[in-house]
């Protein structure tokens, strides 16, 4: 799939199934013993029209006293667990095998869509025959408030009468072009306004900027959390554990439904993308979070390995 001269996406190859094994290892080391911790994990890949989770397991050390799996408000699989033994370390390893209908190249097709103003009007007060999941994603969220500054950044992509998905594709491309990927700049708590002003951040920040821009124009957008397979140079060995958690965003259009955009890589997922969860922003789908008693200061180590498998490989 390539773009023509005006940026329109053209299909040259159809999607094809790919299978991945994802191992996500998280280790906390505490300065003082932890007597009790309650944790919530969004680590199992969810089912989507383009993805199915073939197998998944969660290994926790120390062995928890309580483990409970559920589905959250947004339909994401969630694991809740409690560890009650005094401990100085907590290790959580999620291993999943996923099959995804992927694209072979960076750009996917943007389906035809109505002008963005028509979609905004369709989603306005008194909207009917519009899914609740689209209407509720119009609102600001804890980490992504709507703002005039975000609307101003979005407007060059949203010319009058431009089809919605073409406009969002252009916005995503501009974020990729205008923002610098900088792992040292931001933390989970860095406000989106600062990211917009400094034009720096990581995939989480770029997804939040895209979401905030779209919502600030009165259109729905949601945060997508998952993984991406790192593409190595030809002849270079695959480095186990060198992949990472990833984030991108999606918007909703009539007849199409939700359609994904990855501004960090200037791609239309899925390519090497595996979806774990989606919600309003990062706070809804944090891979691992919790509360604990004791512990003091801590260090955190995270390693992710995304391995492409043969379709005939036996599931985990």
């Amino acid at each position: 799939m390539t773009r023509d001269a005006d940026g329109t996406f053209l299909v040259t190859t159809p999607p094809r199934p790919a299978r991945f094994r994802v191992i996500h290892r998280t280790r906390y080391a505490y300065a003082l013993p932890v007597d009790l911790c309650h944790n919530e994990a969004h680590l199992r890949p969810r089912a989507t029209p383009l993805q199915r989770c073939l197998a998944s397991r969660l290994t926790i050390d120390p062995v928890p006293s309580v483990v409970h799996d559920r589905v959250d408000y947004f339909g994401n699989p969630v694991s809740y667990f409690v560890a009650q033994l005094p401990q100085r370390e907590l290790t959580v390893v999620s291993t999943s095998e996923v099959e995804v209908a992927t694209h072979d190249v960076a750009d996917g097709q943007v389906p035809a869509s109505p002008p963005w103003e028509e979609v905004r009007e369709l989603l306005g007060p008194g909207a009917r025959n519009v899914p609740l999941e689209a209407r509720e994603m119009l609102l600001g969220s804890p980490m992504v408030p709507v703002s005039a500054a975000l609307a101003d950044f979005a407007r060059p992509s949203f010319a009058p009468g431009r089809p919605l998905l073409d406009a969002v594709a252009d916005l995503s491309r501009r974020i990729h072009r205008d923002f610098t990927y900088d792992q040292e700049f931001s933390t989970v708590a860095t406000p989106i306004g600062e990211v917009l002003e400094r034009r720096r951040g990581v995939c989480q920040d770029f997804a939040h900027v895209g979401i905030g821009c779209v919502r600030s124009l009165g259109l729905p957008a949601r945060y997508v959390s998952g993984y991406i397979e790192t593409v190595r140079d030809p002849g270079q060995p695959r480095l186990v554990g060198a992949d990472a958690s990833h984030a991108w965003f999606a918007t909703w259009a009539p007849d199409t439904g939700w359609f994904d955009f990855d501004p960090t890589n200037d791609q239309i997922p899925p390519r090497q993308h595996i979806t774990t969860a989606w919600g309003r922003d990062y706070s809804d789908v944090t891979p691992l979070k919790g509360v604990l008693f004791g512990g003091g200061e801590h260090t955190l180590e995270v390693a992710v390995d995304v391995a492409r498998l043969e379709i005939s490989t036996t599931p985990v």
Side-chain angles (χ1 to χ4, degrees), residues 116-155:
W116 67 271
E117 303 97 329
E118 290 185 13
V119 178
R120 181 172 64 181
E121 183 176 353
L122 176 69
L123 291 158
R128 296 181 178 180
N129 301 320
V130 175
L132 173 62
E133 66 177 18
R135 288 185 283 127
E136 66 188 1
M137 292 295 176
L138 292 166
L139 306 174
S141 57
M143 301 186 75
V144 187
V146 298
S147 72
L150 288 164
D152 288 343
F153 181 82
R155 282 195 179 94

Side-chain angles (χ1 to χ4, degrees), residues 3-297:
R3 291 190 182 98
D4 66 11
D6 66 0
T8 302
F9 290 88
L10 303 174
V11 175
T12 58
T13 56
R16 68 178 185 181
R19 186 167 292 180
F20 301 95
R21 180 168 292 156
V22 181
I23 302 175
H24 184 147
R25 183 180 186 274
T26 306
R27 175 181 174 271
Y28 287 94
Y30 303 100
L32 300 172
V34 175
D35 295 318
L36 174 66
C37 62
H38 294 253
N39 302 273
E40 185 177 88
H42 286 91
L43 292 170
R44 176 185 172 91
R46 67 173 292 159
T48 78
L50 296 176
Q51 172 180 293
R52 61 192 183 116
C53 184
L54 304 175
S56 185
R57 69 171 181 262
L58 196 64
T59 304
I60 304 164
D61 183 20
V63 177
S65 58
V66 176
V67 179
H68 175 66
D69 293 325
R70 65 180 179 87
V71 175
D72 70 11
Y73 174 80
F74 300 104
N76 305 306
V78 182
S79 296
Y80 166 78
F81 63 91
V82 179
Q84 291 183 293
L85 297 174
Q87 58 189 297
R88 287 181 180 267
E89 292 186 6
L90 173 66
T91 301
V92 179
V93 181
S94 172
T95 304
S96 301
E97 189 170 310
V98 191
E99 191 169 279
V100 185
T102 67
H103 299 295
D104 288 333
V105 293
D107 300 331
Q109 181 187 27
V110 173
S113 57
W116 67 271
E117 303 97 329
E118 290 185 13
V119 178
R120 181 172 64 181
E121 183 176 353
L122 176 69
L123 291 158
R128 296 181 178 180
N129 301 320
V130 175
L132 173 62
E133 66 177 18
R135 288 185 283 127
E136 66 188 1
M137 292 295 176
L138 292 166
L139 306 174
S141 57
M143 301 186 75
V144 187
V146 298
S147 72
L150 288 164
D152 288 343
F153 181 82
R155 282 195 179 94
S157 297
F158 288 77
R162 189 171 193 179
L164 170 64
L165 295 181
D166 287 345
V168 179
D170 184 70
L171 170 66
S172 180
R173 190 160 56 247
R174 287 175 51 226
I175 295 171
H176 174 79
R177 182 191 67 206
D178 295 349
F179 286 67
T180 299
Y181 189 88
D182 184 351
Q183 292 180 301
E184 303 300 322
F185 169 72
S186 62
T187 69
V188 172
T190 302
I192 189 173
E194 187 175 343
V195 174
L196 181 64
E197 179 182 356
R198 298 285 298 277
R199 301 290 201 269
R200 311 184 78 82
V202 294
C203 59
Q204 171 192 307
D205 302 309
F206 302 160
H208 281 164
V209 169
I211 292 165
C213 286
V214 173
R215 289 181 186 163
S216 294
L217 293 179
L219 297 161
R222 71 185 181 194
Y223 184 95
V224 187
S225 176
Y227 305 100
I228 187 168
E229 177 195 29
T230 301
V231 178
R232 277 88 187 177
D233 294 332
Q236 295 298 312
R238 192 178 70 84
L239 303 177
V240 175
D243 297 289
S245 296
H246 193 46
W248 56 98
F249 74 99
T251 194
W252 180 89
D255 300 324
T256 300
W258 290 98
F259 197 80
D260 291 12
F261 299 89
D262 179 357
T264 303
N265 297 291
D266 192 21
Q267 293 179 1
I268 303 295
R271 188 189 181 193
Q272 291 91 22
H273 299 74
I274 298 124
T275 298
T276 300
W278 57 60
R280 297 168 300 168
D281 57 37
Y282 174 81
S283 66
D284 285 332
V285 296
T286 307
L288 184 62
K289 64 181 179 181
V291 294
L292 56 85
F293 296 89
E297 295 183 355

